[in-house]
Amino acid sequence: TLVLKLVERFPLIINIGAAVLALTAAKMIISEPLLESWYRADALSLSQAGRELVVWVTYAFCIGGVLAAGWWASRHAHAGRARTFGHGQT
């Protein structure tokens, strides 16, 4: 119940948790043996700095995608509730 009270008071906790899960997913993607060739610097004809850039872009894409999907779902859930309760009708 303490966690629920904290989440109700600070909804940002949900976004932080989602970002942590997305970061974990990105690390799993990068370390996946089947995708290793995509993240090797020599396979991409990139320097080590170029490889690091690809890794950071993967992190940003995963985290940004999860947070954007959450924002979108939340926005559409609020719109659906407004229609359900008769709000927003002209």
Side-chain angles (χ1 to χ4, degrees):
T1 60
L2 176 64
V3 173
L4 291 175
K5 288 180 182 179
L6 284 172
V7 167
E8 286 177 358
R9 184 172 174 140
F10 305 106
L12 184 65
I13 292 172
I14 295 170
N15 290 339
I16 292 170
V20 169
L21 289 174
L23 177 65
T24 304
K27 287 182 178 182
M28 291 173 69
I29 290 169
I30 290 166
S31 64
E32 174 62 41
L34 291 173
L35 299 176
E36 182 183 9
S37 64
W38 288 29
Y39 291 100
R40 281 196 335 250
D42 59 332
L44 296 173
S45 300
L46 295 173
S47 65
Q48 186 62 27
R51 182 204 175 275
E52 289 297 320
L53 179 64
V54 171
V55 168
W56 281 103
V57 166
T58 302
Y59 288 153
F61 183 75
C62 288
I63 294 170
V66 166
L67 293 178
W71 173 82
W72 182 82
S74 174
R75 184 174 170 95
H76 286 293
H78 290 303
R81 272 186 257 147
R83 280 193 300 270
T84 301
F85 292 113
H87 301 293
Q89 294 179 351
T90 58

